[in-house]
Amino acid sequence: MNAETKPKLALYWAASCGGCEIAVLAIDERILEVAGAFDVVFWPCVMDGKVADIEAMEDGSIAVCLFNGGIRTSEQEYMARLLRAKAKVLVAFGACAQDGSIPGLANLLDRDTIFRQNYVESPSVDNPESTLPTATTTVAEGELHLPAFYDTLRTLAQTVDVDYFLPGCPPEADRIWDALSAILAGDLPPAGSVIGARTTVCEECPRTRHEKKVKEFKRTWQVIPDAETCLLEQGLVCCGIATRAGCGARCPSVNSPCIGCYGANDGVQDFGARMMTALASIIDSNDPREVQRIIATGIPDPVGTFYRFSLANSFLRRSRRPVAAGAAAGAATRGED
Amino acid sequence: MTDLEFQPKIIGFLCNWCSYRAADLAGSTRTRYAPNVRYVRVMCSGRVDPAFVMKALSLGADGVLVAGCHPGECHYLEQNYKTMRRMTMLQHTLRQLGVEEGRVRLVWASAAEGHRLAKAIDEMVDRIRSLGPLRWPAGWQERPEVLAAIERVASEHASAAQEVAT
Ligand code: FES
């Protein structure tokens, strides 16, 4: 097949770590089959390409776009809109695009706090004038623009319509290959669905399960768990119960609890809520004081534990932001008389 | 004075066997109490998933009340103990997200305790009124200059593309 007749493929990254890009290459020599089957028109991480070339293309002329990363700046949002228009099938690739993932945990803060921390307060930063990035700077030659930085990181689907989700941090090579083959064969699930398993990590986990009752939650550094029993039964917060299968239970297989990188399984609307429900059920106490203590000491960072990969895609999306401008103006002025 | 105009919107999940009847009783005995709670009847307080509470807040509720049978009196044996543990877990998480104490409450009220429920609701409404509106979805909005920036990027690209084409 020559480049004209091959379906076009684009890959892009936004607020992500770059691991998803590596994951695509982790399909090993099958990458040659991808190159054989698709005409790769845009992939800034590995080849030169110009946004203007994409803008010049007809809408819908890219067969598939694999988009990783959440949306944190105006530039990323622009690229998401552009690639949405040009791609027939837009895939939210990986945990960041799907659920916000680790960058989404910054939704516990806001832009000003993040900037202050990163550009002023961080011990390794030398910035005596406390200069902060601004979206607009005026110089002698005119105005210069940087992408504007959002207070709240959004998922790809909160920004544009997404056709499919490929979960994982990063997606496993075999699952990527499955998805690409399915796209090539035109053998796809209904739009809007996750390309992946319909069960939880527990189903793939080799450990044995009994009735769960715990008096204490432990952190991984406090114990060396036994290799056979369910980690949750041993008091470790393992997220396998809420997490979609697909990884082959990699972490529990090596004595490390699941942290939920594959995101919520089908039917789980809010990952953290499912974890809270499950963990609350197994606490072996009916005494409110003792329950308080078990939770407060065993789970010192509930958001980081229950929403490590999904804060931006949870019902609440972020921590409370006192809305100073615009929206809450009414509240601020009320009661002043 | 004008503060009194703020009427908190509270969603109440009430157990069919006790608290919902307590609310009925409060009504039929003409107990006066704050009218701010919109009730949702559930078969047991154990039916209330933390997701219900967070969804309510995310849709604009100022607070959420969960009410069930007294410990030991749940019609499904132990479920209200689970509710207690779940709500403790949820409140622990909500604290980290900046939701003030008192916006999400668990109350036990039997079918005979219309007064108790009414009093708990009055207290809750007072507390939330003093905290002010929650306005959760407003916290997702970006600042106007950010919204302007994305439109600027789009129009810059569009005009650049036009220049190339001509
Ligand atoms: S039946 Fe009322 S709390 Fe379970």
Side-chain angles (χ1 to χ4, degrees):
Chain A
M1 261 195 282
N2 61 29
E4 268 87 86
T5 54
K6 282 199 278 188
K8 294 184 171 49
L9 176 69
L11 293 95
Y12 195 70
W13 51 359
S16 57
C17 71
C20 281
E21 307 276 335
I22 310 293
V24 176
L25 298 175
I27 61 175
D28 303 328
E29 66 279 358
R30 286 172 292 185
I31 192 72
L32 298 175
E33 286 182 54
V34 174
F38 290 100
D39 173 22
V40 182
V41 291
F42 192 55
W43 191 359
C45 179
V46 303
M47 57 184 242
D48 188 28
K50 297 284 175 273
V51 173
D53 296 338
I54 303 301
E55 286 166 339
M57 296 172 84
E58 299 252 325
D59 282 1
S61 59
I62 296 174
V64 187
C65 172
L66 305 180
F67 192 109
N68 73 74
I71 307 300
R72 161 62 93 201
T73 68
S74 53
E75 183 209 21
Q76 289 160 353
E77 175 157 356
Y78 175 72
M79 289 306 293
R81 290 189 194 177
L82 177 66
L83 288 163
R84 167 66 284 180
K86 303 300 173 188
K88 229 179 252 122
V89 174
L90 178 66
V91 181
F93 186 96
C96 290
Q98 187 182 357
D99 287 335
S101 192
I102 307 295
L105 276 177
N107 284 0
L108 280 169
L109 313 166
D110 57 14
R111 181 188 69 185
D112 294 346
T113 321
I114 295 168
F115 277 11
R116 229 180 13 256
Q117 172 64 39
N118 280 280
Y119 297 106
V120 181
E121 286 164 7
S122 171
S124 58
V125 163
D126 182 22
N127 180 7
E129 275 155 38
S130 299
T131 308
L132 296 176
T134 49
T136 310
T137 311
T138 315
V139 293
E141 291 79 6
E143 259 190 8
L144 298 177
H145 298 301
L146 278 178
F149 192 95
Y150 294 1
D151 281 302
T152 306
L153 180 137
R154 278 190 262 123
T155 68
L156 186 60
Q158 285 165 359
T159 311
V160 294
D161 288 337
V162 169
D163 298 303
Y164 297 105
F165 300 87
L166 194 59
C169 181
E172 288 292 326
D174 287 339
R175 301 290 87 73
I176 298 173
W177 182 245
D178 291 348
L180 287 172
S181 323
I183 290 168
L184 271 174
D187 174 23
L188 280 161
S193 49
V194 171
I195 306 180
R198 300 267 176 281
T199 174
T200 63
V201 170
C202 293
E203 295 292 311
E204 297 185 320
C205 179
R207 291 171 179 269
T208 48
R209 282 172 267 168
H210 317 89
E211 211 209 331
K212 299 179 192 14
K213 284 268 163 230
V214 303
K215 273 277 180 204
E216 183 185 13
F217 292 113
K218 299 184 198 112
R219 324 232 9 228
T220 41
W221 50 266
Q222 292 174 306
V223 276
I224 296 178
D226 95 52
E228 256 98 70
T229 321
C230 166
L231 291 167
L232 209 46
E233 282 167 37
Q234 302 184 55
L236 286 158
V237 177
C238 180
C239 297
I241 36 180
T243 308
R244 188 183 297 274
C247 60
R250 281 192 174 217
C251 297
S253 305
V254 293
N255 246 3
S256 195
C258 170
I259 53 176
C261 81
Y262 252 69
N265 186 27
D266 275 13
V268 178
Q269 282 196 304
D270 185 291
F271 187 94
R274 173 58 60 95
M275 283 308 299
M276 287 181 235
T277 301
L279 292 191
S281 308
I282 66 168
I283 296 174
D284 187 15
S285 170
N286 284 338
D287 168 20
R289 284 248 182 77
E290 192 184 22
V291 169
Q292 285 262 4
R293 188 190 52 74
I294 293 172
I295 292 171
T297 52
I299 305 174
D301 174 17
V303 174
T305 308
F306 301 142
Y307 292 105
R308 191 180 312 219
F309 293 92
S310 63
L311 180 59
N313 201 26
S314 66
F315 275 124
L316 297 179
R317 299 191 191 184
R318 57 161 302 120
S319 67
R320 180 153 191 219
R321 191 155 73 90
V323 202
T333 51
R334 204 183 297 168
E336 265 178 13
D337 37 313
Chain B
M1 186 56 212
T2 43
D3 256 4
L4 292 178
E5 285 165 9
F6 164 49
Q7 290 295 343
K9 275 198 274 324
I10 299 173
I11 304 299
F13 294 100
L14 268 53
C15 159
N16 174 57
W17 302 106
C18 47
S19 316
Y20 195 81
R21 291 173 191 206
D24 257 354
L25 181 65
S28 53
T29 56
R30 296 174 173 264
T31 309
R32 286 184 72 88
Y33 67 106
N36 301 64
V37 183
R38 278 82 158 159
Y39 298 127
V40 178
R41 177 160 57 161
V42 289
M43 285 309 281
C44 171
S45 68
R47 178 65 185 89
V48 181
D49 189 306
F52 298 179
V53 177
M54 288 187 287
K55 185 171 182 180
L57 298 178
S58 77
L59 291 173
D62 296 299
V64 178
L65 167 76
V66 178
C69 311
H70 282 272
E73 286 171 19
C74 172
H75 289 231
Y76 307 94
L77 307 175
E78 294 257 314
Q79 294 311 307
N80 54 0
Y81 285 110
K82 268 189 196 164
T83 309
M84 176 270 289
R85 300 196 294 254
R86 226 177 252 171
M87 293 294 284
T88 311
M89 193 76 90
L90 175 62
Q91 278 156 337
H92 182 55
T93 307
L94 289 178
R95 204 170 299 132
Q96 197 182 359
L97 289 169
V99 178
E100 303 97 332
E101 220 75 34
R103 287 203 188 262
V104 174
R105 267 197 78 180
L106 174 63
V107 170
W108 307 131
S110 77
E113 291 176 326
H115 270 288
R116 186 187 160 98
L117 184 69
K119 191 163 160 271
I121 289 173
D122 275 341
E123 281 168 13
M124 189 171 176
V125 171
D126 277 351
R127 168 87 176 121
I128 293 179
R129 193 169 276 142
S130 71
L131 290 171
L134 186 62
R135 288 206 183 89
W136 199 273
W140 301 334
Q141 268 161 34
E142 295 300 333
R143 304 160 202 237
E145 72 264 25
V146 169
L147 299 176
I150 161 77
E151 298 318 324
R152 193 187 58 226
V153 177
S155 74
E156 274 174 12
H157 279 265
S159 55
Q162 211 140 57
E163 263 170 50
V164 172
T166 50

